[in-house]
């Protein structure tokens, strides 16, 4: 390809964003088709990226480096390794399905898609940036449009949720901002380039401080206990595509940051904090699961289950061994797709039933078997049913956790039990049981609306029965990162 | 020296402008008042063009009036900025409701006098000229506040005058101490003598008192008390002028005076404390405000705190980041006040409230977008100019070792994001209380598009402005 691949993946949503801003708001269909075209292009480009990427070498590939303000260490540089590549693939799958699932929105369509595309370009930018200035710039761009998406198109308690989410996430990013500036000042060579920062020696005490700053700063975005409180209200209030992006991709940005910057640059710090972070992760897993048990609003259940599943990711990262890290990255991907599927299904149900409460819904499997089955599949993935990718991910993380912290690992398996409980009881209340006559006339999903949800299920299934495909992509990277720890 | 007199053209142009306006006041009945605004616009545009022409990138230095008046890169940069800001304020004052029609000319005279004072100030190389120029600015602005016939306007202007007079007194006393001990009123001489003078407590007190004069103009704690009342009550175009030009000059004089006094490191703890208090006070109180101009007054107090964080480092990186941020800040504030002026006209009030912003995105998408960009830029969100400015400010501070101060400042930025987002929420999320669309004159549309382009352009590619700021900092 003549054009650099990574820049094109980044430019696709940005150019579409620009185009959509120029079109008058009443040409709703034009806006939708532009968004869809850019999502399709991005997906094709990411698949091409996966095909032409050599996963056996752990170094950064598709490197692009443009001088921006060289005197201040700011260069526009991109590069991906295995982990970043799968994250970009995840984002492009979710934005594609998100754009399709948002087709039914009628209010202020132009601004909705503009915000969505701007957000997604920020996310892509984070995954492919290897210069800390642009990492941070794209990180902030990925957070701010959520405010508008939730405040304008959201549902329950949207103003409160939007403000809480934005302020929490940006408060977390203050630690990251200060940390990046300190790194720049510390190195003396005046660089923000990740590849050059690898070679810098940090003293053990400074590593401990830096790792703590970055772990908490990125952890806020990853729903690290006890900074997770923004996440469930944000999930509930956001419109479908925003929730899909938020839980599916945004929360993974945090874990990605911890791995890319915390684990790689500060191994001594990671080892020092690893017991503490493991305990916080397990708290998150169990706390999230137990609160989900008591929820009556399905989106709150999914929100707290996201907190719980992200706890699994953080536990995998804290184990600092190969099973743990591979499981963590696998869980990032698998949970992203699964939660996108969850929100896609519940979004459809909410659009037609105008309620998400377990008390009101019931027996939906009779009127709408297809959407019910899709939601049930998502639930089964969540509780770790073998055959789907969720099982592989959780298995790897728990084995890694038991290797590193036997007691903590065993406690985390309890969470699986609690997850099974709330998932199955939610499914039983909403979908099985006596038919609720209020929703007798609810239409089931039609063909083109099945399509995005089916794609998500396919991905979960493929990586569930053939996890080696995914693991081949990430094992070289994770082995390379963990070299320092053995 | 005759051939280099053309470097003084901006100031001479302003004097000619003031002279013309003064002549105009003598022949009040003969000419139609519309001619005044046309004359004003043409003159201020001419001054902008002239400032551009004397903008020497070669970095050469000219001295006038027995070396008391220095023209260097930094001074010309600021004169360009000041003349551009004056031009925009005059353009906006065309339909100003708060200024009685018969007093338009006087208002323009004082605006021009204040700008002249500021231009003299940025070029001053000597403490007496510094004091005279500062007083020129001060008296011009004292008179501009009570243009509205309003008892609260009188109260605010009394507060401003009394506090201003007090700090002026402190300033001149400080100047007398400093120049007395250094035995010269020239900046260069004081700079040479300064390293020997540091342990002298009288010199330190003198420095502090001189700085107090500047803190007043910068609305830094504890001299910020005038800002909320004055901003709320004065005519909005006057407030725009204060918030942009006056602030920019004050910040520049802060770094210049700190550099001249030999960068007294002993003062740093005091400056840190003032910065922290300004940021905290400004942000915390702004959250409670419902009046837009008061909210921006408190926000400007907080922004002075951020500027102080970088200014207290007293090295070249800090100074260049301050100059960069000050230019960005003038543009951002101009954008925000543009929105306030236009909303005020649409709602026929001198004090728009936050609820007047409701549904702005439906009433005027361009104005709502300008509000969004200016407010997010003030909060420091990429890819806007404010983010680049804050990045450089805090990078300079971290490099000098003030990491904890920077963490505090960045947390304050997030707090400020709360009240800025509330404004955006009113504009974009809330339904409009008045359905009437706000139509914008082509002149306003042109200015708005220019400002938007600048804010986005500087944010995405700050190199150009940063290079200018670096050269300017070198010449201090």
């Amino acid at each position: 390809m003549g054009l650099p691949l990574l820049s094109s993946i980044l430019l696709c949503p940005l150019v579409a964003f620009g185009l959509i801003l120029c079109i008058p708001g009443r040409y709703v269909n034009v806006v939708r088709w532009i968004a869809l075209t850019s999502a399709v292009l991005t997906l094709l480009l990411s698949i091409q990226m996966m095909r032409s990427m050599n996963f056996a070498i752990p170094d950064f590939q598709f490197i692009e480096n443009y001088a921006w303000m060289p005197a201040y260490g700011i260069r526009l540089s991109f590069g991906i390794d295995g982990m970043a590549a799968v994250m970009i693939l995840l984002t492009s799958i979710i934005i594609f399905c998100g754009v399709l699932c948002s087709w039914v929105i009628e209010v202020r369509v132009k601004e909705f898609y503009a915000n969505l595309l701007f957000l997604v370009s920020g996310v892509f930018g984070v995954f492919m940036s290897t210069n800390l200035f642009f990492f941070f710039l794209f990180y902030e761009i990925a957070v701010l449009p959520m405010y508008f998406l939730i405040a304008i198109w959201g549902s329950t308690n949207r103003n409160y949720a939007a403000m809480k989410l934005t302020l929490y996430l940006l408060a977390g990013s203050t630690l990251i901002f200060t940390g990046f500036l300190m790194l720049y000042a510390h190195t003396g060579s005046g660089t923000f380039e990740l590849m050059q920062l690898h070679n810098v020696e940090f003293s053990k005490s400074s590593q401990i401080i830096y790792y703590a700053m970055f772990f908490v700063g990125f952890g806020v975005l990853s729903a690290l206990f006890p900074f997770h409180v923004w996440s469930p209200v944000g999930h509930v209030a956001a419109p479908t595509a925003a929730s899909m992006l938020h839980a599916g991709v945004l929360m993974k940005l945090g874990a990605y940051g911890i791995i890319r910057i915390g684990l790689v640059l500060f191994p001594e710090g990671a080892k020092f904090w690893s017991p503490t972070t493991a305990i916080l992760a397990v708290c998150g897993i169990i706390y999230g699961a137990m609160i989900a048990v008591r929820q009556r609003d399905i989106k709150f259940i999914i929100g707290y289950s996201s907190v719980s599943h992200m706890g699994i990711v953080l536990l995998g990262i804290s184990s600092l061994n190969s099973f743990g890290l591979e499981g963590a990255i696998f869980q990032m991907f698998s949970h992203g797709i699964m939660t996108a599927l969850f929100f896609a299904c519940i979004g459809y149900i909410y659009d037609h039933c105008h309620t998400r409460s377990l008390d009101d819904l019931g027996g939906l499997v009779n009127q709408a078997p297809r959407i019910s089955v899709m939601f049930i599949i998502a639930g089964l993935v969540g509780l770790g049913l073998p055959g789907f990718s969720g099982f592989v991910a959780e298995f790897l993380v728990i084995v890694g956790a038991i290797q590193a912290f036997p007691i903590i690992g065993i406690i985390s398996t309890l969470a699986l039990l609690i997850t099974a409980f709330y998932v199955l009881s939610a499914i039983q209340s909403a979908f099985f049981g006596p038919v609720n006559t209020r929703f007798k006339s609810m239409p089931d999903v039609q063909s083109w609306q099945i399509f995005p949800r089916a794609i998500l299920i396919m991905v979960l299934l493929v990586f569930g029965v053939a996890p080696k495909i995914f693991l081949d992509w990430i094992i070289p990277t994770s082995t390379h990162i963990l070299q320092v720890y053995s | 020296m005759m051939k280099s007199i053309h470097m003084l053209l901006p100031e001479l142009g302003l004097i000619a402008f003031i002279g013309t306006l003064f002549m105009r006041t003598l022949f009040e009945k003969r000419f139609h008042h519309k001619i005044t605004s046309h004359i004003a616009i043409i003159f201020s545009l001419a001054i902008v063009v002239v400032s551009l022409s004397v903008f020497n990138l070669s970095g050469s230095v000219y001295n006038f009036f027995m070396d008391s008046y220095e023209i260097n890169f930094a001074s010309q940069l600021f004169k360009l900025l000041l003349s551009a800001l004056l031009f925009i304020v005059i353009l906006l004052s065309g339909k100003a409701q708060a200024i009685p029609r018969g007093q338009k000319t006087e208002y323009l005279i004082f605006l021009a006098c204040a700008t002249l004072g500021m231009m003299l100030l940025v070029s001053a190389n000597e403490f007496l000229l510094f004091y005279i120029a500062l007083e020129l600015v001060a008296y011009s602005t004292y008179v501009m506040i009570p243009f509205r016939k309003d008892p609260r306007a009188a109260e605010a202007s009394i507060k401003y005058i009394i506090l201003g007079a007090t700090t002026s007194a402190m300033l001149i006393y400080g100047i007398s101490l400093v120049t007395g001990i250094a035995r010269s009123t020239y900046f260069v001489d004081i700079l040479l003598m300064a390293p020997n003078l540091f342990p002298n407590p009288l010199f330190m007190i003198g420095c502090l008192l001189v700085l107090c004069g500047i803190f007043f103009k910068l609305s830094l704690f504890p001299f910020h008390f005038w800002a909320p009342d004055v901003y709320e009550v004065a005519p909005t175009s006057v407030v725009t002028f204060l918030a942009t030009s006056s602030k920019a000059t004050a910040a520049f004089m802060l770094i210049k005076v700190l550099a001249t006094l030999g960068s007294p490191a002993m003062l740093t703890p005091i400056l840190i404390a003032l910065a922290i208090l300004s940021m905290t006070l400004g942000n915390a109180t702004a959250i409670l405000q419902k009046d837009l101009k008061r909210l921006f007054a408190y926000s400007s107090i907080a922004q002075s705190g951020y500027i102080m964080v970088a200014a207290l480092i007293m090295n070249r990186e800090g100074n260049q980041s301050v100059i960069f941020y000050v230019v960005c800040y003038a543009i951002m504030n101009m954008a925000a006040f543009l929105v306030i002026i236009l909303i005020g006209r649409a709602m026929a009030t001198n004090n728009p409230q936050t609820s007047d912003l409701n549904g702005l995105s439906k009433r005027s998408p361009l104005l709502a977008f300008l509000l969004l960009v200016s407010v997010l830029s003030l909060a420091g969100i990429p890819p806007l100019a404010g983010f680049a400015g804050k990045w450089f400010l805090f990078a300079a501070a971290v490099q000098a070792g003030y990491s904890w101060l920077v963490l505090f400042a960045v947390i304050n930025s997030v707090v400020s994001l709360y009240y800025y987002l509330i404004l955006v929420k009113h504009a974009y999320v809330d339904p409009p209380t008045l359905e009437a669309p706000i139509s914008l004159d082509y002149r306003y549309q042109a200015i708005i598009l220019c400002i938007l382009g600048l804010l986005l352009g500087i944010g995405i590619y700050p190199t150009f402005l940063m290079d200018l700021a670096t050269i300017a900092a070198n010449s201090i």
Side-chain angles (χ1 to χ4, degrees), chain A residues 68-69 72 108 133 136-137 140 144 147-148 151-152 159 163 166-167 170-171 174 177-178 181-182 184-185 192, chain B residues 320 361 372 376 382 387 391-392 394-395 398 403 407 410 414 417-418 424-425 428-429 460-463 466:
Chain A
W68 200 258
M69 289 187 76
Y72 297 92
R108 293 166 85 167
F133 175 79
F136 187 76
L137 188 142
E140 299 271 284
L144 200 78
Y147 179 78
F148 295 103
I152 305 178
N159 281 319
M163 190 61 85
T166 314
L167 289 181
L170 290 177
T174 61
F177 181 79
T178 318
L181 288 179
M182 283 165 72
Y184 178 71
F192 280 114
Chain B
Q320 75 199 28
S361 60
L372 177 74
L376 288 183
F387 170 70
W391 180 278
F392 292 124
F394 297 142
V398 167
S403 306
L407 187 59
V410 185
V414 175
L417 184 66
Y418 171 70
V424 167
K425 164 182 160 307
Y428 277 91
V429 180
I460 296 179
Y461 200 65
T463 318
M466 201 54 189

Side-chain angles (χ1 to χ4, degrees), chain A residues 88-131:
Chain A
I88 293 181
L89 181 66
L90 171 72
T91 314
S92 40
I93 295 177
I94 293 185
I95 186 63
F96 173 66
C97 299
V99 165
L100 280 176
C101 290
S102 312
W103 213 262
V104 295
I105 291 192
E106 295 292 334
V107 177
R108 293 166 85 167
V109 179
K110 161 182 164 177
E111 287 149 322
F112 181 81
Y113 280 108
N115 273 308
L116 208 63
L117 289 168
F118 194 56
L119 201 158
V120 149
S121 52
V123 173
F124 279 129
V126 174
F127 286 134
M128 54 177 78
S129 286
T130 50
N131 182 298

Side-chain angles (χ1 to χ4, degrees), chain B residues 89-215:
Chain B
V89 172
I90 290 183
L91 210 57
L92 291 174
S93 315
K95 290 204 183 67
Q97 303 157 320
I99 300 169
R101 200 173 268 180
Q103 294 179 328
K104 237 343 141 37
T105 325
E106 277 84 351
Y107 160 75
L108 288 169
I109 290 181
F110 291 122
L111 264 184
C113 272
T115 313
L116 179 64
M118 291 179 199
M119 286 196 179
L120 293 177
L121 202 48
V122 297
S123 266
N125 213 18
E126 197 253 336
F127 263 120
L128 282 181
L129 179 59
F130 173 82
Y131 184 70
I132 293 173
L134 198 65
E135 288 302 295
L136 182 58
V137 176
Y139 282 104
S140 312
T141 48
Y142 292 162
V143 182
M144 280 201 282
I145 313 291
F147 259 109
R148 295 171 57 221
K149 298 281 181 285
D150 185 355
R152 290 170 60 216
E155 177 196 339
S157 59
I158 297 276
K159 271 190 199 162
Y160 190 43
I161 292 177
I162 291 189
L163 198 57
T166 316
T167 48
S168 274
M170 293 164 82
L171 176 68
I172 193 68
Y173 186 50
I175 290 179
S176 68
L177 282 176
V178 167
T179 54
I181 295 177
R183 312 255 171 117
S184 164
T185 56
Y186 285 88
F187 282 2
V188 276
D189 295 335
I190 298 178
L191 183 56
L192 281 171
M193 293 279 300
N196 306 331
L197 298 173
F198 274 144
N200 192 336
L202 224 47
F203 184 71
M204 283 292 111
I205 296 179
C207 291
L208 206 51
L209 289 174
V210 170
L211 287 174
C212 287
I214 302 177
F215 291 158

Side-chain angles (χ1 to χ4, degrees), chain A residues 121-416:
Chain A
S121 52
V123 173
F124 279 129
V126 174
F127 286 134
M128 54 177 78
S129 286
T130 50
N131 182 298
L132 294 181
F133 175 79
F134 280 101
F135 191 99
F136 187 76
L137 188 142
F138 286 118
Y139 192 87
E140 299 271 284
I141 290 182
V143 169
L144 200 78
M146 279 306 276
Y147 179 78
F148 295 103
L149 286 171
I150 298 181
I152 305 178
W153 294 275
S155 50
T156 324
N157 223 354
R158 53 198 169 151
N159 281 319
Y160 169 74
M163 190 61 85
K164 189 167 190 173
L165 181 144
T166 314
L167 289 181
Y168 251 97
L169 293 183
L170 290 177
S173 74
T174 61
L175 281 171
I176 304 172
F177 181 79
T178 318
F180 281 170
L181 288 179
M182 283 165 72
L183 277 182
Y184 178 71
H186 191 117
T187 54
S189 55
T191 176
F192 280 114
E193 292 287 320
L194 266 177
M195 293 182 255
Q196 287 168 355
L197 285 171
H198 280 200
N199 303 328
V200 175
E201 288 290 316
F202 294 98
S203 70
K204 178 153 188 224
S205 53
S206 64
Q207 280 197 24
I208 293 178
I209 299 180
Y210 281 127
Y211 188 76
M213 283 178 80
F214 287 117
F215 192 84
V216 175
F218 284 114
V220 171
L221 186 49
S222 260
L224 170 72
F225 181 89
F227 306 110
H228 64 285
V229 286
W230 59 272
S231 174
V233 285
H235 277 105
V236 171
T240 309
S243 293
M244 288 166 80
L245 271 178
H246 165 199
V249 176
L250 233 61
M251 290 172 80
K252 315 300 177 282
L253 273 183
Y256 177 80
I258 296 177
I259 300 177
R260 177 67 79 217
I261 295 173
L263 284 189
V264 168
L265 294 177
F266 311 113
E268 293 298 317
K271 283 187 222 167
F272 179 82
W273 288 110
S274 128
T276 321
T277 56
I279 294 178
L280 283 177
V282 162
C283 288
I285 300 176
I286 299 191
Y287 186 75
M290 293 188 81
I291 305 234
V293 169
R294 298 289 296 166
Q295 298 306 316
R296 304 312 295 167
D297 181 334
I298 295 187
K299 258 186 155 180
F300 261 114
I301 297 179
I302 305 174
Y304 280 107
S305 100
S306 283
V307 172
S308 180
H309 287 281
M310 284 309 292
I312 298 182
V313 173
L314 292 170
L315 182 61
I317 296 177
S318 312
S319 317
L320 297 179
N321 54 31
S322 58
F323 277 127
L325 191 57
E326 289 154 22
I329 303 178
F330 206 135
Q331 173 74 325
M332 279 158 72
F333 187 87
S334 157
H335 174 253
I337 306 268
M338 170 192 89
T339 212
L341 178 61
F342 257 135
F343 282 112
C345 296
I346 196 65
Y348 179 87
I349 295 177
Y350 186 67
D351 285 338
H352 291 277
C353 301
H354 301 290
T355 174
R356 295 186 300 252
S357 168
L358 288 177
D359 303 319
D360 295 335
L361 296 171
L364 283 178
V365 79
N366 295 304
Q367 306 96 307
R370 285 181 231 139
I371 196 74
S372 314
V373 162
M374 291 184 194
F375 188 93
I376 294 171
I377 292 180
L380 294 176
V381 176
L383 60 85
L385 190 73
F388 291 105
S389 52
F391 167 69
V392 183
E394 290 178 15
F395 177 77
L396 284 171
V397 168
I398 291 181
V399 169
I402 295 182
Q403 274 182 347
F405 308 104
I407 304 184
I408 295 182
I410 295 177
I411 295 180
S412 64
T413 55
L414 272 182
L416 296 181

Side-chain angles (χ1 to χ4, degrees), chain B residues 296-328:
Chain B
F296 276 100
Y298 282 110
S299 123
S300 73
I301 297 176
Q303 299 278 347
S304 315
Y306 303 140
I307 293 179
M308 181 50 104
V309 165
L312 57 82
I313 315 171
M314 301 188 238
N315 66 9
R316 221 196 54 216
E317 278 85 27
N319 290 350
Q320 75 199 28
S321 60
V322 168
I323 295 179
F324 180 87
Y325 191 71
V326 154
V327 174
C328 293

Side-chain angles (χ1 to χ4, degrees), chain A residues 461-470:
Chain A
L461 199 55
V462 161
F463 291 120
V465 298
K468 186 165 186 305
I469 306 177
F470 191 89

